[in-house]
Amino acid sequence: MSKKSIMVMCMAAALSAQAQAQTQKKAAPTKKPATVVTAPQKQGQTRLVEKVTRKSGELVIPYEKYVLPNGLTVIVHEDHSDPIVHVDVTYHVGSAREEVGKSGFAHFFEHMMFQGSDNVADEEHFKIVSQAGGTLNGTTNRDRTNYFETVPSNQLETALWLEADRMGFLLDAVTQKKFEVQRETVKNERGQNYDNRPYGLVYEKNSAALYPYGHPYSWTTIGYIEDLNRVNVNDLKNFFLRWYGPNNATLTVGGDVTPAQVVKLAEKYFGPIQRGPEVKNMKLPAPVLTQDRYISYEDNIRFPMLQMTFPTVPNYHPDEVPLDVLAEIIGGSKTSILYQNLTKAQKAVQASAGHPASELAGEFTLTVLPLPGQSLADMEKELRNALVEFEKRGVTDDDLERFKASYESGIINSLSSVAGKTSTLAAYQTFTGNPNFLTNQLKAHRAVTKADVMRVYNQYLKGKKAVVLSVVPKGKPEMVAKPDNFKVDPSGYKAPADQYAGLTYVKAKDTFDRSKVPAAGKNPVITVPPFWKQNLANGIKVIGAKNDEVPTVTLLFTLQGGHKLEAHDPSKAGIASLMASLMNEDSEKFTAEEISTKLEKLGSSISFGSGSETMTVQVQSQVKNLDATLALLEERMMHPRFSQDDFDRLKKQRLEAIKNQSTQPTVIANNVYNKTLYGEGHIQAIPVIGTSTTVESITLDDVKKFYANYFSPSVTNLVVVGDVEQNQIMPKLAFLNKWAAKPVTMPAEPKLASIDKTRIFIVDKEKAAQSEIRIGYMAMPYDATGDFYKAGLMNYVLGGAFNSRINLNLREDKGYTYGAGSYFSGTESSGPYTAYAGVRSNVSDSAVVEFMKEIKRFREEGITDEELAFMRSAIGQSDARKYETSFQKAAFLNNMLRYNLDADYVAKQNQILQTITKEEINALAKKYLPIEKMSIMLVGDKVSIKPGLEKLGYEVVELDPDGAPVLAKADVPVTPAEPKKAEPVKKGRKARAEGRVF
């Protein structure tokens, strides 16, 4: 796992505990956290290993750690700030435990763990968690696999029962049919995230060249298609028996629980499961490169890419942190060498450095995407020159101060999530055996010196060899930095000893009936967070809420308009987004680099953005640094420099980004779909970033005029969430009173395009492995308690949940896709209904048939009693998770201001949820699922998909990537063949739960 991955988990980890946990033992006269180590474990007893408490001012996650007799480690973090609980089971097995020829097993098995077990029927795991108001998922990386649920605290026992059942009672439920369906799902995932994504194979190609043949990091977690085709169900079962024992797992529970409660339930449900084979930690030498290894491949891209990778050290090695500092200095921010020399100098779209580290090895990477006119050979020289420049420049006190402040601030800013705290404890236990390793990490970051950074530069980069990967557009192999000089050589590889011989499946024997779903406790009481309101004289509407779980403050400014304002002059579309980008650059007093440096030292952030109907300003600060952060905010908001140099550079980058969209099927699909919905001439039919024609016409004076006319307090809402009271924060915001109000007139809403009949639109993406599908029409604007809200309830079981009819059909039954669904989205003015998926190219027509079948069946037959009860329970109980973090509170408050909602609108929604009838749901389906008047759009390989689509009985229209009709070569009408029939609906199919899985 990369250092940044661990850090992100840490960031979601400790300070909420700081505010919530009570010290349970008198602190010893030391700066270390209090730790209690018990006596050795007696035979057959659960052992308390340690108890860590927090003293005032420490960044520590309090917990108790136990070990069951079967080897299962149990960690409990008690935090009663919200009525929720997070359950995480981490197995110390990832793709690094696989063998040559059997790649992808760990990830494949993650999929199989969601397919039912002895006492949990197929698809029931998802349904039970979702119906309880929870969310769930699973993830796999090189070194570990984890499964987790966040549920209301009254559902703790149910979550533990579910996880224990698949740990101890899985294999008899693994069938050949389930195996085949999930194999197709994994292939779809690979197609979507690797094969059909620009630069998607960089990691795979680089890993194969960097590590020796047979090294467990020489392949990626997703695996190779040929290995997925080769694997059989018995191979997969053996993988489970070898690695999924309780002695290779950590159960971590955090939230509204007590340790005694968790341990008792863990003993009941996990205790009877037998130990698995012993698992030892791996340790491998770092790769040794005797020469620079040049490799390349062709991809469907606009910008070529060059990446240099040097082998370094694993996670938690003493040199990891100084290498992280080195990466930051060379290519981590606006002050970095690569940004200044390449990005700002307009030689590259982006240039960066990073140091991802995993359990067995680390990689120092330099990456650049040059702008046209710059060759990859030139870029290689630039990257090597950047290293030389660093050596001359050295490390400054500023470098270390910014790095350390940003690191600690990052941790503090993300400590409000019980899921984050729990996963952090789990990760540290899995990889270090010490859940409290956050303390060690903080020490390492605080202690790093300039000499450390120079030492690791000399040791790992200076004069060292690297893998140099060129990614070039298809058909242009001459663009590589240098000809390939390396091929993977399997000679000399010696396969490891067989680890799977003689494995047997022995089920646990229970003293209770494990087939019974545990009864839930009393539903927790959920209350909407209290808030305050205040309006400023210049028109700013302020709403705020106190949140003292972390010592931070979040400010969110939302200005009405954004892209929508460009309807006043569509020839300048993209100007709002371009203006926001410029406001992230120089101010009148400071350069962008100076502001970046100041913010990093404060551990703060300020960012400007613009979307389809709003412009935003987001601010994050520790309470102690709020005054200094607000001073920089005033400078950036009120006094942008709008320099010609910045404008020229950002405009050039924007134009290249627009051209680059032609390589991204998902972006093409979204843009063209919007055009079919809104119609020619509507501003929302134009991408938010504009088109080449509109952006080319924008001048710096246009931007200044747009700022003067539309960046106004009269259309501004401000949300404040943090560890401050209203009477503390409002005086600090007094500078906003100097912001002069100006009237802002919103453009008149144009008439939306109408759809007279359902048509299929095809956008050609030659040789695409997948087709992106969008189906829908323009439905209705947002309404918190009207038909918009009710239609969302209606759609939940059709396409809104993971267990929806659409996803269950296309993903779980057919194996067409990695994920499919549908939703209503809306703003004040409009809102589409959209069904979506990315499917294998060879099933494009069949996928359309199944989409339309499910929508039609739901419209005609309506919702079942079981589905209605499931929807009510799932949406109603999810309230426990709605207001946990500062971000969630800010989003809730922002919604109230933006749509002028009543203070009790949540209560009204809950009343609607509990009283809406089956008849009302069915009437909504008939009204808002007009299958005879929808646009069906596919972005895919026309040659492959068009013949099948033409047989479905719809008019087929070809569009170019900009959404314009493609003229036919011959005006010959096509007579539709007999429509393809939908596959029959399977009876007795059970519902499945919400959440994007795997």
Side-chain angles (χ1 to χ4, degrees), residues 76-98:
V76 187
H77 164 65
E78 188 172 358
D79 178 358
H80 301 291
S81 58
D82 294 285
I84 58 175
V85 60
H86 185 80
V87 174
D88 178 293
V89 180
T90 297
Y91 296 88
H92 197 172
V93 55
S95 58
R97 300 287 186 182
E98 297 162 358

mmCIF file of all heavy atoms in Angstrom, residues 76-98:
data_model
loop_
_atom_site.group_PDB
_atom_site.id
_atom_site.type_symbol
_atom_site.label_atom_id
_atom_site.label_comp_id
_atom_site.label_asym_id
_atom_site.label_seq_id
_atom_site.Cartn_x
_atom_site.Cartn_y
_atom_site.Cartn_z
ATOM 1 N N VAL A 76 -10.904 -2.440 19.039
ATOM 2 C CA VAL A 76 -12.136 -1.687 19.267
ATOM 3 C C VAL A 76 -11.801 -0.238 19.603
ATOM 4 O O VAL A 76 -11.027 0.032 20.523
ATOM 5 C CB VAL A 76 -12.973 -2.297 20.407
ATOM 6 C CG1 VAL A 76 -14.321 -1.577 20.500
ATOM 7 C CG2 VAL A 76 -13.177 -3.789 20.206
ATOM 8 N N HIS A 77 -12.385 0.669 18.843
ATOM 9 C CA HIS A 77 -12.279 2.104 19.128
ATOM 10 C C HIS A 77 -13.664 2.609 19.516
ATOM 11 O O HIS A 77 -14.614 2.508 18.751
ATOM 12 C CB HIS A 77 -11.775 2.869 17.905
ATOM 13 C CG HIS A 77 -11.993 4.342 17.987
ATOM 14 N ND1 HIS A 77 -11.363 5.133 18.925
ATOM 15 C CD2 HIS A 77 -12.786 5.181 17.272
ATOM 16 C CE1 HIS A 77 -11.760 6.400 18.773
ATOM 17 N NE2 HIS A 77 -12.625 6.435 17.782
ATOM 18 N N GLU A 78 -13.765 3.165 20.703
ATOM 19 C CA GLU A 78 -15.055 3.615 21.233
ATOM 20 C C GLU A 78 -15.225 5.112 20.983
ATOM 21 O O GLU A 78 -14.404 5.925 21.387
ATOM 22 C CB GLU A 78 -15.110 3.319 22.737
ATOM 23 C CG GLU A 78 -16.457 3.568 23.377
ATOM 24 C CD GLU A 78 -16.512 3.089 24.815
ATOM 25 O OE1 GLU A 78 -15.501 2.530 25.301
ATOM 26 O OE2 GLU A 78 -17.560 3.279 25.472
ATOM 27 N N ASP A 79 -16.312 5.483 20.302
ATOM 28 C CA ASP A 79 -16.563 6.879 19.954
ATOM 29 C C ASP A 79 -18.075 7.072 19.833
ATOM 30 O O ASP A 79 -18.695 6.636 18.879
ATOM 31 C CB ASP A 79 -15.877 7.220 18.625
ATOM 32 C CG ASP A 79 -16.140 8.654 18.168
ATOM 33 O OD1 ASP A 79 -16.888 9.366 18.855
ATOM 34 O OD2 ASP A 79 -15.591 9.043 17.114
ATOM 35 N N HIS A 80 -18.660 7.736 20.816
ATOM 36 C CA HIS A 80 -20.119 7.874 20.871
ATOM 37 C C HIS A 80 -20.615 9.193 20.280
ATOM 38 O O HIS A 80 -21.739 9.613 20.558
ATOM 39 C CB HIS A 80 -20.589 7.741 22.320
ATOM 40 C CG HIS A 80 -20.217 6.429 22.951
ATOM 41 N ND1 HIS A 80 -20.790 5.238 22.567
ATOM 42 C CD2 HIS A 80 -19.302 6.129 23.911
ATOM 43 C CE1 HIS A 80 -20.253 4.247 23.279
ATOM 44 N NE2 HIS A 80 -19.347 4.764 24.096
ATOM 45 N N SER A 81 -19.802 9.841 19.450
ATOM 46 C CA SER A 81 -20.198 11.144 18.909
ATOM 47 C C SER A 81 -21.333 11.042 17.908
ATOM 48 O O SER A 81 -22.081 11.996 17.714
ATOM 49 C CB SER A 81 -18.991 11.836 18.263
ATOM 50 O OG SER A 81 -18.453 11.028 17.236
ATOM 51 N N ASP A 82 -21.466 9.901 17.225
ATOM 52 C CA ASP A 82 -22.548 9.680 16.263
ATOM 53 C C ASP A 82 -23.068 8.258 16.444
ATOM 54 O O ASP A 82 -22.291 7.341 16.767
ATOM 55 C CB ASP A 82 -22.051 9.869 14.828
ATOM 56 C CG ASP A 82 -21.639 11.304 14.539
ATOM 57 O OD1 ASP A 82 -22.532 12.148 14.379
ATOM 58 O OD2 ASP A 82 -20.423 11.579 14.489
ATOM 59 N N PRO A 83 -24.360 8.027 16.201
ATOM 60 C CA PRO A 83 -24.939 6.695 16.445
ATOM 61 C C PRO A 83 -24.668 5.726 15.302
ATOM 62 O O PRO A 83 -25.589 5.136 14.734
ATOM 63 C CB PRO A 83 -26.430 7.011 16.591
ATOM 64 C CG PRO A 83 -26.650 8.175 15.705
ATOM 65 C CD PRO A 83 -25.391 9.009 15.803
ATOM 66 N N ILE A 84 -23.400 5.577 14.946
ATOM 67 C CA ILE A 84 -23.026 4.672 13.861
ATOM 68 C C ILE A 84 -21.849 3.813 14.294
ATOM 69 O O ILE A 84 -21.140 4.130 15.264
ATOM 70 C CB ILE A 84 -22.649 5.438 12.573
ATOM 71 C CG1 ILE A 84 -21.491 6.398 12.828
ATOM 72 C CG2 ILE A 84 -23.845 6.162 12.001
ATOM 73 C CD1 ILE A 84 -20.985 7.094 11.564
ATOM 74 N N VAL A 85 -21.633 2.733 13.558
ATOM 75 C CA VAL A 85 -20.511 1.849 13.829
ATOM 76 C C VAL A 85 -19.910 1.422 12.498
ATOM 77 O O VAL A 85 -20.629 1.224 11.513
ATOM 78 C CB VAL A 85 -20.950 0.621 14.653
ATOM 79 C CG1 VAL A 85 -22.005 -0.188 13.918
ATOM 80 C CG2 VAL A 85 -19.767 -0.270 14.992
ATOM 81 N N HIS A 86 -18.591 1.346 12.460
ATOM 82 C CA HIS A 86 -17.888 0.897 11.258
ATOM 83 C C HIS A 86 -17.187 -0.412 11.585
ATOM 84 O O HIS A 86 -16.432 -0.501 12.559
ATOM 85 C CB HIS A 86 -16.872 1.934 10.803
ATOM 86 C CG HIS A 86 -16.209 1.586 9.500
ATOM 87 N ND1 HIS A 86 -16.812 1.790 8.279
ATOM 88 C CD2 HIS A 86 -14.998 1.031 9.218
ATOM 89 C CE1 HIS A 86 -16.009 1.405 7.302
ATOM 90 N NE2 HIS A 86 -14.902 0.935 7.849
ATOM 91 N N VAL A 87 -17.439 -1.429 10.770
ATOM 92 C CA VAL A 87 -16.834 -2.749 10.941
ATOM 93 C C VAL A 87 -15.910 -3.012 9.765
ATOM 94 O O VAL A 87 -16.325 -2.901 8.603
ATOM 95 C CB VAL A 87 -17.914 -3.846 11.022
ATOM 96 C CG1 VAL A 87 -17.276 -5.234 11.063
ATOM 97 C CG2 VAL A 87 -18.804 -3.625 12.243
ATOM 98 N N ASP A 88 -14.670 -3.352 10.054
ATOM 99 C CA ASP A 88 -13.674 -3.624 9.011
ATOM 100 C C ASP A 88 -13.014 -4.971 9.292
ATOM 101 O O ASP A 88 -12.553 -5.221 10.398
ATOM 102 C CB ASP A 88 -12.613 -2.510 9.016
ATOM 103 C CG ASP A 88 -11.508 -2.733 7.989
ATOM 104 O OD1 ASP A 88 -10.731 -3.695 8.164
ATOM 105 O OD2 ASP A 88 -11.397 -1.951 7.040
ATOM 106 N N VAL A 89 -13.001 -5.840 8.302
ATOM 107 C CA VAL A 89 -12.237 -7.087 8.383
ATOM 108 C C VAL A 89 -11.166 -7.032 7.303
ATOM 109 O O VAL A 89 -11.478 -7.006 6.116
ATOM 110 C CB VAL A 89 -13.122 -8.329 8.196
ATOM 111 C CG1 VAL A 89 -12.265 -9.594 8.283
ATOM 112 C CG2 VAL A 89 -14.226 -8.373 9.244
ATOM 113 N N THR A 90 -9.914 -6.965 7.725
ATOM 114 C CA THR A 90 -8.787 -6.898 6.799
ATOM 115 C C THR A 90 -8.022 -8.212 6.825
ATOM 116 O O THR A 90 -7.597 -8.670 7.892
ATOM 117 C CB THR A 90 -7.842 -5.744 7.167
ATOM 118 O OG1 THR A 90 -8.533 -4.502 7.044
ATOM 119 C CG2 THR A 90 -6.632 -5.715 6.239
ATOM 120 N N TYR A 91 -7.877 -8.807 5.660
ATOM 121 C CA TYR A 91 -7.077 -10.028 5.504
ATOM 122 C C TYR A 91 -5.724 -9.641 4.906
ATOM 123 O O TYR A 91 -5.665 -8.867 3.950
ATOM 124 C CB TYR A 91 -7.785 -11.016 4.580
ATOM 125 C CG TYR A 91 -9.103 -11.529 5.103
ATOM 126 C CD1 TYR A 91 -10.288 -10.832 4.855
ATOM 127 C CD2 TYR A 91 -9.181 -12.710 5.851
ATOM 128 C CE1 TYR A 91 -11.506 -11.297 5.328
ATOM 129 C CE2 TYR A 91 -10.399 -13.179 6.329
ATOM 130 C CZ TYR A 91 -11.559 -12.472 6.062
ATOM 131 O OH TYR A 91 -12.766 -12.927 6.530
ATOM 132 N N HIS A 92 -4.661 -10.206 5.472
ATOM 133 C CA HIS A 92 -3.318 -9.863 4.992
ATOM 134 C C HIS A 92 -3.010 -10.683 3.740
ATOM 135 O O HIS A 92 -2.097 -11.512 3.703
ATOM 136 C CB HIS A 92 -2.289 -10.132 6.086
ATOM 137 C CG HIS A 92 -0.981 -9.454 5.837
ATOM 138 N ND1 HIS A 92 0.037 -9.420 6.761
ATOM 139 C CD2 HIS A 92 -0.514 -8.757 4.774
ATOM 140 C CE1 HIS A 92 1.076 -8.759 6.270
ATOM 141 N NE2 HIS A 92 0.758 -8.356 5.054
ATOM 142 N N VAL A 93 -3.793 -10.434 2.711
ATOM 143 C CA VAL A 93 -3.584 -11.097 1.434
ATOM 144 C C VAL A 93 -4.014 -10.145 0.316
ATOM 145 O O VAL A 93 -5.123 -9.620 0.328
ATOM 146 C CB VAL A 93 -4.352 -12.427 1.328
ATOM 147 C CG1 VAL A 93 -5.839 -12.236 1.597
ATOM 148 C CG2 VAL A 93 -4.147 -13.082 -0.030
ATOM 149 N N GLY A 94 -3.102 -9.909 -0.607
ATOM 150 C CA GLY A 94 -3.402 -9.125 -1.792
ATOM 151 C C GLY A 94 -2.788 -9.822 -2.984
ATOM 152 O O GLY A 94 -2.459 -11.013 -2.915
ATOM 153 N N SER A 95 -2.604 -9.094 -4.058
ATOM 154 C CA SER A 95 -2.059 -9.726 -5.258
ATOM 155 C C SER A 95 -0.626 -10.209 -5.061
ATOM 156 O O SER A 95 -0.144 -11.056 -5.827
ATOM 157 C CB SER A 95 -2.136 -8.762 -6.437
ATOM 158 O OG SER A 95 -1.426 -7.565 -6.160
ATOM 159 N N ALA A 96 0.050 -9.724 -4.023
ATOM 160 C CA ALA A 96 1.417 -10.167 -3.763
ATOM 161 C C ALA A 96 1.481 -11.614 -3.293
ATOM 162 O O ALA A 96 2.561 -12.211 -3.256
ATOM 163 C CB ALA A 96 2.083 -9.263 -2.728
ATOM 164 N N ARG A 97 0.363 -12.194 -2.907
ATOM 165 C CA ARG A 97 0.343 -13.599 -2.486
ATOM 166 C C ARG A 97 0.051 -14.536 -3.658
ATOM 167 O O ARG A 97 -0.033 -15.746 -3.475
ATOM 168 C CB ARG A 97 -0.718 -13.804 -1.412
ATOM 169 C CG ARG A 97 -0.526 -12.975 -0.148
ATOM 170 C CD ARG A 97 0.608 -13.477 0.711
ATOM 171 N NE ARG A 97 0.667 -12.743 1.981
ATOM 172 C CZ ARG A 97 1.586 -12.952 2.926
ATOM 173 N NH1 ARG A 97 2.503 -13.876 2.745
ATOM 174 N NH2 ARG A 97 1.577 -12.243 4.044
ATOM 175 N N GLU A 98 -0.122 -13.977 -4.854
ATOM 176 C CA GLU A 98 -0.482 -14.790 -6.008
ATOM 177 C C GLU A 98 0.767 -15.399 -6.661
ATOM 178 O O GLU A 98 1.897 -15.105 -6.263
ATOM 179 C CB GLU A 98 -1.243 -13.936 -7.029
ATOM 180 C CG GLU A 98 -2.561 -13.417 -6.492
ATOM 181 C CD GLU A 98 -3.121 -12.238 -7.285
ATOM 182 O OE1 GLU A 98 -2.443 -11.795 -8.243
ATOM 183 O OE2 GLU A 98 -4.220 -11.778 -6.943
#
